[in-house]
Amino acid sequence: MMSPTLSLSLSLSFSCNPKHTNSFFSFPLQDLANTSTLRLSPKLPLRCSQESSFASPPVGLDESIGGISTTNDRVLSGNSLVNRQNGLTPLVSALKASAEQNVASFHFPGHNRGHAAPASLTRLIGTRPYVHDLPELPELDNLFCPQGPILEAQTEAAKLFGSSHTWFLVGGTTCGIQAAIMATCSPGEFLILPRNSHISAISAMVLSGAVPKYIVPDYENNWDIAGGVTPLQVLKAIRELEMEGKKAAAVFITSPTYHGICSNLSEISELCHSRKIPLIVDEAHGAHFGFHSELPKSALQQGADLTVQSTHKVLCSLTQSSMLHMSRNIVDKENIDRCLQTLQTTSPSYLLLASLDAARAQLSERPDVIFNQAIALAYEARYTLKPIPGISVLENSSFSTFPAIDPLRLTVGFWKLGLSGYEADEILYRDYGVVCELVGNKSITYAFNIGTCRDHVQRLLLGIKHLTATYASIQHRVEKVHNVHAPFDDIIMNLIPRDAFFASKRKVTIRESIGEISGELICPYPPGIPVLIPGEVITEKAVDYLLYVRSKGADISGASDPLLSSIVVCNL
C-alpha cells in the first residue's frame, strides 16, 4: 500500500448543485480526523486546487475544447505540449487542421462550423465545439473504412492496450457489446452470461437471436451486492450444454462489475479456449486496468478475445465514446466490422472520436504514474472510513472467491446506521454537495479517477463523518433497512428475449403480472442491470423488489410505466 506525499491547499466556499435550494454553504473541517497525509485548511473550494501535473484548461471557453488547445500548431494533452507532427494524436491533429481551413462551407451540419450555433448553448460552452463539429470530410477519414487519421489513431490505441485490433465507438460500450455478441452468436446459438449482465447484453440477444444460458452470480447478502462469475460456474454451464448435445457460441463476462469486483478471467479464458469458445468481456469499468501495479490486470492481459471498454468512465474521453479491442484470431474481424457498421451511426461525432485519440495520448505519455494520485487518495479515504462506527467499507474479504476489487471504487455501507444507500446519498448530496456514482439499497459507490482531487475527498469524508455522528446517536429508529435482494436466482424462461420482444403484448396491473411472461425489460438505473427480462416469468419476488427500490428513490428504466402501476406482458 502506498502513502501519498501530496499537499493541497483549500481556500474558497462551495456552491452546491442548483438542484437543491440550500445552494451556498461553507463549513469548518477541524473535526475531521487529521492524518499525516490529509492536511486541511478552513474552507472547501468550488474547484479543485490539486498539485496535479495536469494543466488546467484555458480560461476562455471560445479558445479551447476540453483542455485541448486550438490556438496554435500544437495540441495540449495531459500536462505537455505535443507537436502535432509527432504522431501522438493523429485524429486530434487532423480535426484541428480541418477546422482551421479557410473554406467556403456548403456541407452539414447546419450550424455551419459554428456560424449558426444556438446562442443559448454557445453562452454555456462557447463556439469552439461547433467549429470542430465536422462531418466525414476526406481529410478526417471514414469510421467504417479507415485509411487515414482514424486508422492511425486506432492503431496507436491497439499498441497501448495490447490488442490486435481496436475499434473506436461513438455509441458507447453498449454498441460494442452488441457487436461482439452479434459477431459470435447466430440465431438459436447459446450465449453463456451472468444473469445480472448489463441491459446491452440483453438487447444484443434480441438483435442476434442468441439463446441465453444464465449464470447466477455470487451474492453478498450483507451488502445486497452481486459479485462476479467463477471459473467453476462457467465450466458447469458449458458442461450442462454439452450434456444436451449443444455448445456455447460465446461466453460473456462482466469484469469488473460496477462495484469493481473482478472475476478470474485468466482461468475462464483458458477454459473457453480449450473448447474453442470465444470469451467476450464487458470491461466498461476497467479501461484503466493493467497500467499500474496496484490495479488488476486487464481482460486482454488475461486472455480475453473481445473486450469493450468505456474510455469515458475512468479515462478522459468524452461521454459516449468507448473502444472495442480484439485479441487473437478466434473471432472474425470482418464480422465485427459488419456488425459495427450496422449498429453505429453513419454520421459519427468527430469530437467523440478525437477525444478517444486524446485520451489514449494522455495515458500513453505517463502510463506508469498517471494513476498514482487517484489510487493514493482512494486508499486514504478507505483507511479513514474503516474505523468510523456505523460505517462499512467493501473489501476483498467480502468476496473472497474473487481475485481483486478495483482500488478506485469505494463502496460504503450505511445499514448499521439504519439508513439505506438512497437515504444516505440524499443527505450527503443535499448537505455536502457530494455526488456519487452508484446508489444501492444498503450502500453508495464512489468512483475515483485521475481527475479526483483532495478537496473533494475531504468533503466526502467530512460528510460521512457528520452523517455518522448524527444518526448513530438516534435511538430506536422506526425504519430499518430491509433485506430485499435482487431476484436473480429463480429464473423461469418461457421465451427467448428475441421472441418475447416481437410477441404481441398487453398491459396488466403490477400484481396481476405475477405468473405472466414479461414483455418488457425493467431495471433500476443505475446500474442498468435488469430485474425482468422479456420472456421470463414474473415472480412475486421480482415485483416486491422493484416496488421497494422504487419507493426508495431508484429510477426504473425500460418500463412503459415508470411508476410501476402496470407492466407489459406477452400474450401466448
Side-chain angles (χ1 to χ4, degrees):
M1 304 301 177
M2 60 181 62
S3 296
T5 58
L6 303 171
S7 176
L8 309 176
S9 63
L10 314 175
S11 57
L12 304 176
S13 296
F14 167 72
S15 176
C16 188
N17 191 303
K19 168 180 174 181
H20 298 290
T21 55
N22 54 336
S23 62
F24 184 83
F25 53 86
S26 61
F27 40 88
L29 300 175
Q30 63 266 21
D31 55 349
L32 182 62
N34 290 322
T35 69
S36 60
T37 57
L38 206 57
R39 285 171 282 185
L40 316 178
S41 59
K43 304 244 181 151
L44 291 177
L46 171 62
R47 60 180 174 80
C48 297
S49 54
Q50 59 184 25
E51 284 186 0
S52 169
S53 57
F54 301 114
S56 298
V59 175
L61 283 170
D62 282 348
E63 299 303 319
S64 68
I65 171 171
I68 300 174
S69 171
T70 60
T71 57
N72 54 42
D73 196 44
R74 294 183 296 174
V75 177
L76 183 63
S77 176
N79 68 325
S80 64
L81 290 170
V82 181
N83 191 293
R84 75 179 186 179
Q85 278 80 29
N86 67 6
L88 284 179
T89 53
L91 193 48
V92 171
S93 299
L95 186 60
K96 175 181 181 292
S98 183
E100 291 176 346
Q101 290 177 345
N102 182 8
V103 296
S105 175
F106 292 92
H107 58 72
F108 300 137
H111 59 70
N112 202 318
R113 301 188 179 220
H115 293 295
S120 60
L121 190 54
T122 58
R123 282 194 292 266
L124 178 66
I125 65 172
T127 59
R128 283 293 180 183
Y130 285 97
V131 171
H132 294 83
D133 181 32
L134 297 173
E136 289 182 304
L137 300 172
E139 66 269 20
L140 294 181
D141 208 356
N142 186 315
L143 181 60
F144 298 129
C145 185
Q147 302 177 64
I150 292 179
L151 176 61
E152 186 180 352
Q154 290 183 160
T155 301
E156 291 297 320
K159 291 177 184 177
L160 178 65
F161 289 96
S163 68
S164 58
H165 190 86
T166 290
W167 292 265
F168 283 3
L169 308 176
V170 293
T173 293
T174 290
C175 81
I177 288 173
Q178 291 170 341
I181 292 175
M182 289 175 65
T184 53
C185 299
S186 297
E189 293 187 327
F190 285 85
L191 173 68
I192 295 174
L193 75 165
R195 175 54 182 75
N196 64 334
S197 295
H198 188 265
I199 186 174
S200 56
I202 311 304
S203 61
M205 289 189 289
V206 172
L207 292 167
S208 67
V211 180
K213 173 67 174 176
Y214 289 124
I215 294 173
V216 178
D218 283 3
Y219 211 84
E220 174 42 62
N221 289 336
N222 287 335
W223 283 91
D224 194 19
I225 287 176
V229 170
T230 67
L232 283 177
Q233 287 176 310
V234 175
L235 178 60
K236 181 174 180 289
I238 291 174
R239 285 178 172 172
E240 286 176 354
L241 288 175
E242 289 175 344
M243 290 175 64
E244 299 173 6
K246 301 166 183 173
K247 179 186 175 182
V251 171
F252 177 86
I253 303 292
T254 303
S255 182
T257 67
Y258 212 146
H259 298 93
I261 301 164
C262 302
S263 297
N264 189 334
L265 297 179
S266 294
E267 290 190 15
I268 293 174
S269 65
E270 289 180 9
L271 182 63
C272 291
H273 295 153
S274 68
R275 290 167 166 80
K276 300 189 185 318
I277 300 173
L279 173 61
I280 306 167
V281 178
D282 173 359
E283 201 176 27
H285 294 272
H288 55 299
F289 281 10
F291 289 101
H292 193 284
S293 60
E294 295 291 325
L295 295 173
K297 289 183 177 180
S298 71
L300 289 174
Q301 290 170 334
Q302 296 183 73
D305 299 288
L306 293 171
T307 179
V308 195
Q309 298 174 337
S310 293
T311 318
H312 64 271
K313 292 193 186 299
V314 176
L315 302 183
C316 300
S317 66
L318 292 175
T319 297
Q320 195 178 312
S321 60
S322 295
M323 295 186 191
L324 168 59
H325 305 290
M326 183 175 74
S327 182
R328 312 158 75 91
N329 57 4
I330 193 172
V331 179
D332 186 348
K333 175 185 174 295
E334 292 185 359
N335 278 351
I336 301 287
D337 288 332
R338 283 190 289 269
C339 291
L340 285 176
Q341 188 163 358
T342 300
L343 295 164
Q344 294 209 96
T345 176
T346 55
S347 301
S349 166
Y350 275 84
L351 293 176
L352 297 182
L353 294 172
S355 78
L356 288 168
D357 187 27
R360 185 274 313 163
Q362 181 187 45
L363 177 58
S364 64
E365 287 167 15
R366 306 181 305 128
D368 53 338
V369 299
I370 194 170
F371 296 107
N372 281 356
Q373 177 171 301
I375 292 172
L377 290 173
Y379 280 142
E380 285 185 21
R382 184 172 283 106
Y383 294 146
T384 302
L385 290 173
K386 282 175 63 177
I388 298 177
I391 293 298
S392 302
V393 178
L394 184 66
E395 297 185 287
N396 224 95
S397 57
S398 300
F399 289 92
S400 56
T401 56
F402 299 100
I405 292 181
D406 181 3
L408 294 185
R409 291 296 156 92
L410 175 65
T411 299
V412 183
F414 298 90
W415 67 86
K416 293 178 183 177
L417 299 175
L419 292 172
S420 70
Y422 304 107
E423 293 165 330
D425 179 60
E426 176 61 27
I427 295 167
L428 291 169
Y429 187 27
R430 180 191 66 216
D431 296 343
Y432 295 92
V434 173
V435 181
C436 73
E437 173 57 33
L438 173 65
V439 186
N441 178 31
K442 293 186 173 183
S443 63
I444 305 175
T445 297
Y446 302 94
F448 287 63
N449 51 54
I450 59 178
T452 300
C453 63
R454 187 180 299 274
D455 304 344
H456 291 175
V457 174
Q458 290 163 348
R459 186 184 304 162
L460 169 64
L461 297 178
L462 179 64
I464 292 177
K465 185 172 182 181
H466 280 205
L467 184 150
T468 303
T470 301
Y471 284 88
S473 62
I474 298 177
Q475 301 297 319
H476 309 296
R477 282 180 52 79
V478 175
E479 184 179 359
K480 298 295 181 182
V481 180
H482 297 292
N483 288 317
V484 181
H485 306 302
F488 297 135
D489 57 354
D490 54 355
I491 307 159
I492 302 173
M493 186 175 66
N494 277 9
L495 296 173
I496 66 170
R498 181 181 179 88
D499 290 345
F501 182 87
F502 290 105
S504 64
K505 302 174 180 68
R506 71 184 189 279
K507 272 190 179 181
V508 299
T509 67
I510 189 162
R511 286 298 172 187
E512 291 174 341
S513 73
I514 297 173
E516 299 281 354
I517 298 173
S518 178
E520 54 188 348
L521 192 152
I522 302 178
C523 55
Y525 197 89
I529 293 172
V531 172
L532 292 178
I533 292 176
E536 292 180 354
V537 175
I538 301 171
T539 64
E540 185 174 7
K541 184 178 177 183
V543 166
D544 288 343
Y545 177 81
L546 286 171
L547 290 175
Y548 173 74
V549 297
R550 173 73 180 81
S551 71
K552 291 299 180 182
D555 292 325
I556 306 299
S557 173
S560 58
D561 178 5
L563 298 179
L564 292 182
S565 59
S566 64
I567 288 182
V568 172
V569 299
C570 294
N571 291 321
L572 285 183

